[in-house]
Amino acid sequence: MSSHHELQRELERHFSLLLTQRPSGQAIFALEHGLDEDARSQIADSVRATARSRRERDATWLPWIVHATEVAYRYSGEEYWTSFADSTPGWDHRERNWLRATFRRFAREFRGPTPSGRWAEWFNIIAWPITNSILPTDLQRHLARALFELRGELARHLETPRDLGAFIALHAWHGSDRFENLKQQPDLLGQISLGLLRPDRPDGEFLLGSTTRRIVADLQAHRESRLWLGHARTAVERAINTRGPRSAGVPIQRPPDLVASTLRASAPRLYLVQAADHSWTPKLRLPYLGAFGEIAEVGGALRVSRPWIPAASSSFAPGRLLYDRQDVPLSRWPEPDEPLIRFGEPASGLEAAVMKSWVMPGEPWLFKRDRFGKAQPMERPSVRPGSPYILASRVPLFSQLLNPVQTTVPGMNLYQLELQADSAHEVLDELKRLGLGVALGIDVYPVGVPAAWDGQGRSEWLETDEPAFAIVADHPVAHLEVWLRDRSRVIPNISAWSPLVLSVPGLGLGSHELRLVEQHHAARSELAMAIEIRAPRPSLPEHHGPLSGWVDPFSSRLDDLWAGRSTISVVGVAHQAECRLTLASRSGAQALASAGTMTDLPLTPHKWRALLRDNLKPSKGMEVAFDDARWAQVVLTAGPFGKCSFEFERELSPIRWRLQRTRTTVTLRLVDETDQDARLSVERARFSSPTTRDRLSTSGASDSGSGWELASPDPGLYVAIAGRHRAAVIVKETAVMRSFDDLVLRLTPISVDPTPTGLSALASEAELWGTAALTGNPVAAMWRSQVVRHLHRKLVSELCGPSWAAGEAVVYENHAIGLSRLKNQLITTAGVPAAVIQLVDNATQLSETAVAERVQRLAGIAGLAARIAPKAFGELGRDRGSSEIRLAEFTLRLATDVSAPRWAGIHLIPALEVLLAWPVLLQAGRYLGLANPSSLVGDLEYPPLYSGWEWP
Amino acid sequence: MIVVWDAEGATAAAIDHLAIDLGKVVGEKDLALCAAAIRRAAAVRCPCTREELIDAVVGGFSRLSNVSLSNRELVAAAFEALLLSGDLLRSVPPGEEGRPLVHLAPPSFVRRWNGSASLIGGLPDVGLPLPAELKPRLRSRGGFRQLPAGGEVSVIDELIAAGFSEFPMDAWLQAPTHLTPSQLLGRLNRDLDDVGPAGAVDEVLVLDSSRSPRFYKGRWTEPGRRSGRFIAQTPGRWGGRRWLYVELDAGEVRKLVTLPRVDNRFRGADEAWWIQAAIDHLNGTPQSYVRTRTDAGIQVISFFSPLPMWAERRMYPVAGRVAVSRGALIAFVLDREQGDEEIKFLIDRLWVVEAPADVEA
């Protein structure tokens, strides 16, 4: 009997034993083989010895399972089959279906995991060893981070692996494509997480102890991962020790009113700030989204939406709301019941959930002034003698109690109000007329330092605090009742001006009210104090200090960062920071290249794009390194103010392009991991004629296991299609520059079929060029910009007509003259609606509002298309309202970006039909796009196509 | 549950809560306690202004028993001590020059020559994220918190493992560019030459350079009928003080520049004291220090004018601050063999001279 067969039997015994120990419903992973390093090298020997014989492989299939899993454990999203072939001499790639069948056998006989989800369909063979490897090294970091971020709530979800896995999958915020794959398998994710979080549980309950220790040891090789896991374990341990885990029969319940109270506690608040010229400006304190980690029905929707503030006419990245204590100045006063924040698609349904708590309350609007030029909103409109207030009103108020103060908000009336201590009783009627009450007699204020205090009636405390309040009466109080929910306590005989302190320990998360009732003979007076209890807000692990940063639109993909589709914003302090971009083959590996430069904070998307283009990308070695890199990190370091960092990885799609360079050669490789028999096709379009694609020969590509490759690729766009998968890359490799002439792109005229079908093809070509991956060469980015703009102009010209296109050309030479010409053309069009003229007149102003607001404005005009192209219009939505909105957004997207086809989906053709029938609508959209000279971007820059028109 | 306390009991409970992150207090207990309260306020309120932070502490303890936490002057001193230690950071948002913001520094440490670590900053809501096993070793002195070296595992390694970042000593000691007194004053004077007439400025106090630099408080005075160029201060619009370099004509402020002007990494006060040192030097009445050596192998170095933050920080790696005597404003105690480098730095940058120990103020 050979040692290979001995290994097979040993593994059979081991996995059989594990099967008896593991609770039913939980998988056994091939990585739980329990073998030490020596034994693992025996496995490798066994595999090598049996590689060429199918019969031998069948007889020693478990060592093969272990071997394939070990390769997967080291997998970092690179090329699985190449690594597998390298470590398996004699392996024939055509046998890969055998490997999948063998893993299926492991699933049947030993309850091995079965990969599921979209990624398992895409990578339908390598998904098996990867799933069995539990947590490949590159995923360890992502999971450790997710556990850290969610550590405060993990203890509520320890009952079953599925519960925990579903919770993590729903709430883990960032992650790579590979981590997203893991999230699609919540049972496995939960089981793995429990194994990592609960080393105290019996060996093998979730994972084999030696396997867990191995993963933890590998994970601890990275400082941050070690810290993250350590903090997560401590938090879970602490919660279990203090509250008891669900599994111990003591369920940790979510407070029943958590949604309402979290919404209330996180509600945006309008407050006033006084400027140096004494005028008062309203500001909105933004809500803090991190508090929604636990509320699935709200949190998930908020994170993918693009919020905007109607009263500030500005939208912002949702990532910004993960940071506490941020303010936005308002340009107008919100109407009563108007949402203070709105959410665009796909979270518009969310507005209903937040509407009640996050709308502007009705009048009277009373603010209490502090000594520092700020005034906080009062929940209850009562004034205390001796304290200064600001009363805001939409109509002028006339009262001897009020003194007007200046405000920057047009149409608003602000008044200062301060009652003399001895005049309160005489002016009660006057106050009542103004909608105000008066707080007399007893003063209540927090003892110690609460998290927030509005100076009169609302305080906010951390869950770890013991809220306490001092009560001071200006008269002797014989009988004071203190109420907290349905409990009360009577305090007799309080002397005047002698402070008494109440503490209210043990209040749970949420909103509470402390009521004080003074009964004096028949008279009864009441005072209420709102108390909000909230959990301490977790720090984001990659942010250290007061800097706040986010990626907008959010993406963790390296290609999006490099192409400028996603930008980095950093705010928090006005300071200088070093911005460093590092490229590496994987997280933790030695850098392939790194570039740094100084920048001023705040860092805006516009400034980031300029930094990337002018300072980071051109640095030595970056261009070449980008083509080899799979991981990137951007770190902004602001000295004592700390730092924030962002990580990016390559997209993991079943087919993907790679450019490989040696000293003398450049090869374009297509990695194909679909493991399907779908035919592979590769096409190329040259820069000079971007809409014409040539098909390239791919014979024999799928048999090698390493995809397809092309030496010294000609410049252009390469598109690979295999079944449902498509990958596009733009290549511009100039081995030798003979002259600057080589840098000049000469585009040939494009001929287009001017029908909806022909135009949709042109729009789709523009989108393909606009979204294709870029290689490191900066000329590729410049030429791509020219091509995208060329295609987009052609599309606009076809839809709006040559005369309009000629007018637009003038805009680029002389903005004022060109715009005036366009305006003239638009308003003199026969039958142009008045609404279009109105829109054109206000275009500059409108172009500075939030994109969602511009869509709303154009929707009013888009509805008129129902009469002109009723059939196509009707195909755009369920009803007139939804058709209007969709057509308006499509029009503006088409006018200012190339992403409209993907956004429109099946509505692309009918939407184009409408625009062909009524070009005025697109002309109005284009006018809006061109109205602001600062939105025009140079020909060599893309994205964005137009600044200020970045679409989510 | 509703629990009723008297004022003393409530104050004591609040103080116990604050003292958790102090460890063993060395030196002035009240200052250390106020610093703890400011740190707590910073953890839940920052970014905010200096005055809001001080008010959060003072307001939370006012009208209770007579505790240091309701003493605005002491709490303000604790605030300044935390700026000095680096726990708090200051930034000026664009367009908000009159309303600088204060931030809580991220959890970091400065490694000292003897292997101990000065701890800086904290996390929002959380405060100092110090592992439980290190807490018994924590010491506080004024605005400084320190972990002495010792134990099987180095303090530095433990802090790094707990997520603290190292803040290099040379960065912590960062000072403005080296300028001679003439260069510094020349620059300020040129700036003052170039500005237009000042509007009405109320409640101005000027630092009279003709008065002895050995009695700092006594040098501040109302403008009277003075003429010339002076360091000055006025109350800030939103609280605090605004530091100025002014030109007076018969007691009227004709021109002014707001400080800091030369290096905005530092406070207006730091620049004002630096400029005053230059003025005193050029006037032939340089600022001075006194060195007193004792038989116990230690020395005390006393200063009679305030030191800019960047100069005072130079002393902390080798010296501890002690109570002052004989009219001095700040004094440091250190080993007899140490301090030469630091004194040399102060001579070089602030042009101080050593005065005999027996000179009375």
Side-chain angles (χ1 to χ4, degrees), chain A residues 72 153 388 634 761 796 876:
Chain A
E153 305 298 338
V634 177
V796 169
L876 294 176

Side-chain angles (χ1 to χ4, degrees), chain A residues 220-279:
Chain A
Q220 292 192 332
H222 292 104
R223 176 177 167 251
E224 283 171 330
S225 306
R226 184 178 69 234
L227 281 173
W228 292 337
L229 181 61
H231 285 302
R233 278 181 166 180
T234 307
V236 167
E237 199 180 323
R238 194 183 300 135
I240 288 171
N241 289 341
T242 55
R243 298 188 286 191
R246 276 183 163 190
S247 53
V250 186
I252 299 170
Q253 299 278 348
R254 187 169 109 178
D257 59 349
L258 187 64
V259 174
S261 65
T262 308
L263 283 170
R264 189 178 139 84
S266 308
R269 286 176 198 283
L270 187 154
Y271 71 100
L272 301 171
V273 184
Q274 194 173 22
D277 66 357
H278 299 274
S279 64

Side-chain angles (χ1 to χ4, degrees), chain A residues 495-519:
Chain A
S495 312
W497 303 113
S498 172
L500 175 85
V501 179
L502 296 178
S503 71
V504 280
L507 294 181
L509 291 174
S511 306
H512 307 269
E513 189 177 67
L514 187 72
R515 281 190 307 124
L516 275 63
V517 181
E518 184 191 359
Q519 196 77 42

Side-chain angles (χ1 to χ4, degrees), chain A residues 227 325 449 499 501 534 537, chain B residues 5 40 46 55 63 125 161:
Chain A
L227 281 173
R325 302 164 207 172
V449 186
V501 179
R534 64 169 175 84
R537 289 167 180 171
Chain B
W5 300 74
R40 149 74 192 188
C46 279
D55 218 50
R63 290 193 270 176
D125 283 358

Side-chain angles (χ1 to χ4, degrees), chain B residues 33-337:
Chain B
L33 185 65
C34 290
I38 291 271
R39 284 194 197 100
R40 149 74 192 188
V44 291
R45 302 281 180 94
C46 279
C48 60
T49 63
R50 172 189 186 272
E51 286 64 37
E52 283 170 322
L53 214 48
I54 292 171
D55 218 50
V57 173
V58 174
F61 294 92
S62 63
R63 290 193 270 176
L64 292 179
S65 54
N66 186 20
V67 286
S68 51
L69 292 165
S70 59
N71 179 335
R72 189 170 290 274
E73 226 170 84
L74 190 60
V75 174
F79 175 91
E80 300 302 332
L82 293 179
L83 276 182
L84 180 69
S85 66
D87 277 292
L88 298 180
L89 304 165
R90 208 177 140 274
S91 80
V92 182
E96 293 272 4
E97 282 70 21
R99 217 183 239 140
L101 289 179
V102 178
H103 307 267
L104 180 65
S108 359
F109 64 89
V110 179
R111 189 196 302 250
R112 292 170 58 133
W113 59 273
N114 60 3
S116 66
S118 289
L119 303 184
I120 293 175
L123 292 173
D125 283 358
V126 173
L128 193 68
L130 199 61
E133 57 273 22
L134 286 180
K135 282 198 172 170
R137 292 159 66 181
L138 185 65
R139 281 157 195 271
S140 294
R141 180 199 284 272
F144 286 82
R145 287 172 298 179
Q146 210 176 76
L147 278 175
E152 286 177 11
V153 185
S154 107
V155 162
I156 305 299
D157 290 345
E158 289 192 56
L159 286 172
I160 289 173
F164 283 72
S165 298
E166 177 160 9
F167 193 63
M169 176 67 91
D170 55 353
W172 189 74
L173 292 177
Q174 219 167 33
T177 310
H178 191 179
L179 297 173
T180 65
S182 311
Q183 285 172 328
L184 176 60
L185 219 51
R187 174 153 176 201
L188 262 298
N189 283 330
R190 276 195 301 280
D191 284 356
L192 201 55
D193 290 342
D194 292 344
V195 296
V201 188
D202 297 329
E203 300 180 56
V204 183
L205 289 176
V206 296
L207 205 156
D208 186 348
S209 305
S210 66
R211 296 185 182 177
S212 166
R214 299 274 304 215
F215 182 39
Y216 175 72
K217 284 184 183 164
R219 305 181 86 185
W220 285 103
T221 180
E222 289 178 359
R225 299 285 300 161
R226 286 176 178 78
S227 296
R229 293 187 168 189
F230 298 86
I231 288 297
Q233 49 172 300
T234 61
R237 175 77 191 280
W238 313 115
R241 291 187 176 282
R242 190 170 158 223
W243 292 81
L244 309 166
Y245 185 54
V246 300
E247 183 175 293
L248 296 185
D249 181 11
E252 292 294 317
V253 178
R254 295 293 179 209
K255 289 180 165 191
L256 66 85
V257 289
T258 304
L259 304 177
R261 188 84 179 176
V262 178
D263 191 333
N264 63 11
R265 290 173 303 169
F266 302 100
R267 297 170 299 178
D270 295 320
E271 198 158 289
W273 295 330
W274 184 28
I275 296 163
Q276 188 58 44
I279 294 171
D280 290 339
H281 176 86
L282 292 173
N283 284 350
T285 53
Q287 295 181 4
S288 58
Y289 67 94
V290 167
R291 191 193 293 247
T292 317
R293 292 187 170 86
T294 73
D295 293 338
I298 58 168
Q299 58 178 330
V300 175
I301 298 177
S302 306
F303 296 89
F304 300 86
S305 295
L307 296 177
M309 191 169 82
W310 47 265
E312 195 174 344
R313 274 189 179 176
R314 292 293 296 206
M315 300 302 292
Y316 282 95
V318 294
R321 195 165 159 173
V322 291
V324 294
S325 61
R326 302 206 312 174
L329 213 56
I330 324 169
F332 296 93
V333 63
L334 62 166
D335 289 344
R336 287 183 78 138
E337 290 74 32

